[in-house]
């Protein structure tokens, strides 16, 4: 039996662990779960989202660099809009406003002081495609 995978926990490269934890706490409203400044790593969370913030001390042996792009998949268009509004109220770095794209995503992009990006989205096209697959085509023989 293959075990169920948990949610991924991205490692976000930051230049300064203290400045980064402050930004994520104050502007993006994450909770600082723990910080190990001696190794340059912190764990933060918000709801079911967990992230690691890793400064150059921690990353030097692993080689990962910024910026990174992390996608945050919300459950509805209003949730995307509400998060944008909440982050706007904290002076978070917002690079775009929520918009429904032809690709079927309702999204906006936010960032952090190190240039890392968060693409916050709701995929409205997939439920529409699922409904279309579940709906049988019209009967072309009717009236023949």
């Amino acid at each position: 039996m293959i075990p169920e995978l948990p949610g991924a926990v991205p490692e976000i490269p930051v230049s300064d662990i203290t400045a980064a934890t402050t930004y994520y706490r104050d502007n993006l409203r994450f909770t600082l779960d723990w910080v190990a400044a001696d190794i340059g790593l912190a764990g933060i969370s918000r709801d079911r989202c967990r992230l690691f913030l890793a400064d150059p001390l921690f990353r030097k042996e692993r080689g990962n660099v910024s910026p990174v792009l992390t996608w945050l998949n919300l459950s509805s268009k209003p949730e995307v809009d509400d998060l944008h509004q909440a982050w706007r109220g904290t002076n978070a770095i917002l690079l775009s406003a929520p918009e429904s794209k032809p690709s079927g995503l309702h999204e906006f992009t936010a960032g952090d002081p190190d240039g890392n990006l968060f693409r916050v989205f709701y995929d409205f096209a997939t439920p529409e495609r699922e409904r279309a697959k579940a709906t049988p085509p019209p009967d072309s023989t009717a009236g023949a």
Side-chain angles (χ1 to χ4, degrees):
M1 178 179 218
I2 298 175
E4 183 177 323
L5 293 177
V9 182
E11 181 179 305
I12 309 296
V14 298
S15 58
D16 178 283
I17 200 74
T18 302
T21 56
T22 299
Y23 177 80
Y24 278 78
R25 183 194 66 219
D26 295 349
N27 298 88
L28 302 182
R29 301 295 193 212
F30 278 83
T31 298
L32 176 60
D33 298 323
W34 55 268
V35 62
D38 59 320
I39 63 169
L41 189 66
I44 61 173
S45 64
R46 177 173 169 180
D47 306 316
R48 293 174 297 152
C49 181
R50 293 184 63 210
L51 304 173
F52 290 128
L53 301 176
D55 76 10
L57 178 64
F58 186 82
R59 297 189 334 261
K60 77 177 171 185
E61 292 180 24
R62 291 153 187 87
N64 56 330
V65 297
S66 68
V68 297
L69 172 64
T70 302
W71 293 62
L72 298 175
N73 186 4
L74 301 186
S75 298
S76 69
K77 287 181 181 182
E79 284 187 10
V80 170
D81 295 341
D82 291 348
L83 185 57
H84 182 271
Q85 182 70 22
W87 282 358
R88 195 171 83 186
T90 67
N91 293 317
I93 299 168
L94 298 172
L95 304 172
S96 65
E99 179 182 4
S100 292
K101 307 282 187 164
S103 63
L105 299 181
H106 183 71
E107 65 178 83
F108 73 89
T109 303
D112 75 8
D114 289 296
N116 298 298
L117 300 175
F118 292 93
R119 197 162 177 181
V120 180
F121 75 100
Y122 169 67
D123 175 4
F124 63 86
T126 296
E128 291 173 4
R129 284 191 292 270
E130 295 297 321
R131 279 192 297 276
K133 282 195 270 186
T135 305
D139 185 1
S140 60
T141 61

